[in-house]
Amino acid sequence: MVRRVFAILSSTDACFEYRVRLPLTELNRRGGWDCAWGAPGLDIADYDVVIGQRLAGPNPQWLALCKDPDVLCVYDADDDLTDLDPENEIPYSIYAPLTEDTRANMAAADVVTCCVPAAAERIAKHINPNVAVLPICADPAWIDLPLRTRAGSLTVGWGGSPFHGQDWQALPPHLAEYAGRVPHASFHAFGADYTRGAFGARTRVAGLQALPHYLAAVDLDIGVAPLNPALRGSATRSHTKPLEYACRGAPVIAQACGQYLDWVDEGVNGHLVRDESEWVDYLLALTDDAVRARMSTAARDKARQFTIDKHAHLWERVYGGGSV
């Protein structure tokens, strides 16, 4: 028996890639599933499973569908749009006024899925007790892309949306110190540049790109993943960024917050910053070519543990109506 699944999209950005396209494409590949996505049509109630991807604000159609006993309604929260930090100004200004209706959409679902256990615990306690963790996974093809690092140069970098200024309050001075001590190092920023001129003319900035294009363009030797530990959202941050770096062979230097704590095997595939003074020390340690090469291999090995083919059974269990 083929189980039909439809995902109602709220976006076509990286969230769509990780939470919809990758897992549903893998389910279609496995057989026994017929998965599609887009805007809901008149036949939406004919599907066995309907996924609401980050549905924010009033949505009478979704609430009515959740009452249908023949449809398994899955609200995919990814991260929790009802618990954004005010310091994350633009997303907060968009989603905070919609909080009451967004919570209603989550509460009405048969099950809520998210990518981090800490977020699942909060949602289960305050919104919907039926929560399952579906982790952020990579496409195996990303890891198999040729590495683009350049001999004789050293590129430090970061990739992300223009909504992360709150995470970069402390890092720029440390980058400036490192840039002064390692003149052959440069910085490549994807999406937004928060370095405040730390590397001067040795900075390249690429605009925000679709996820597959971004990953194909990544040429980093070292990836940085700063967070503001004082913000509650940092505790529920997923391992997306270090996973992306690892796919491209870049060990990460990450703030000791959220899933970064689980991702980084200290000194093996990256470093965790617990004190701001450690940024420069870890950057200098990874400047050593032999150390960096060893950690690059370990990073890609870690990424291979989180490809979608290795974890799709978790989606099968949830969408099959199994226990969460």
Side-chain angles (χ1 to χ4, degrees), residues 116-135:
V116 179
E121 292 173 7
R122 183 193 176 279
I123 293 169
K125 181 177 180 180
H126 298 288
I127 302 176
N128 189 323
N130 298 316
V131 185
V133 176
L134 300 178

Side-chain angles (χ1 to χ4, degrees), residues 33-67:
W33 299 90
D34 178 8
C35 302
W37 52 81
L42 296 177
D43 64 342
I44 190 65
D46 295 337
Y47 286 86
D48 301 298
V49 183
V50 176
I51 304 158
Q53 184 213 2
R54 290 164 58 99
L55 299 179
N59 197 314
Q61 182 186 40
W62 172 256
L63 296 179
L65 194 64
C66 290
K67 295 178 181 178

Side-chain angles (χ1 to χ4, degrees), residues 32 61 85 91 94 157 238 242 270:
Q61 182 186 40
D85 287 294
I94 296 171
S238 74

Side-chain angles (χ1 to χ4, degrees), residues 35 66 75 126 194 197 204-205 231-232 266 292 307 312 317:
C35 302
C66 290
Y75 184 104
H126 298 288
Y194 296 108
R204 289 176 291 144
V205 182
L231 301 182
R232 63 178 181 271
E266 181 59 46
R292 195 173 63 256
T307 54
R317 184 173 66 194

Side-chain angles (χ1 to χ4, degrees), residues 56-58 81 84 89-102:
L81 296 179
L84 295 174
E89 294 180 2
I90 295 178
Y92 183 83
S93 68
I94 296 171
Y95 293 111
L98 307 176
T99 296
E100 183 176 348
D101 288 309
T102 303

Side-chain angles (χ1 to χ4, degrees), residues 5 63 65 78 128 156-157 225 228 249 253 286 291 323:
V5 180
L63 296 179
L65 194 64
D78 186 16
N128 189 323
V156 183
N228 184 341
I253 304 175
L286 282 169
V291 171
S323 172

Side-chain angles (χ1 to χ4, degrees), residues 184-210:
H184 68 287
S186 63
F187 195 93
H188 199 173
F190 292 88
D193 178 17
Y194 296 108
T195 61
R196 301 178 204 159
F199 281 79
R202 291 180 278 151
T203 302
R204 289 176 291 144
V205 182
L208 198 61
Q209 304 175 54

Side-chain angles (χ1 to χ4, degrees), residues 183-293:
H184 68 287
S186 63
F187 195 93
H188 199 173
F190 292 88
D193 178 17
Y194 296 108
T195 61
R196 301 178 204 159
F199 281 79
R202 291 180 278 151
T203 302
R204 289 176 291 144
V205 182
L208 198 61
Q209 304 175 54
L211 183 62
H213 299 297
Y214 155 63
L215 288 166
V218 167
D219 58 353
L220 307 183
D221 297 291
I222 304 168
V224 295
L227 288 174
N228 184 341
L231 301 182
R232 63 178 181 271
S234 296
T236 57
R237 190 62 59 91
S238 74
H239 60 222
T240 304
K241 200 168 302 299
L243 170 62
E244 291 171 353
Y245 296 157
C247 286
R248 310 307 304 122
V252 67
I253 304 175
Q255 207 87 37
C257 294
Q259 273 196 318
Y260 296 176
L261 290 163
D262 301 318
W263 178 270
V264 175
D265 302 314
E266 181 59 46
V268 178
N269 65 342
H271 291 290
L272 287 170
V273 172
R274 301 179 187 277
D275 184 274
E276 294 299 327
S277 63
E278 296 173 331
W279 282 108
V280 175
D281 291 339
Y282 289 146
L283 284 164
L284 289 172
L286 282 169
T287 301
D288 182 284
D289 292 342
V291 171
R292 195 173 63 256

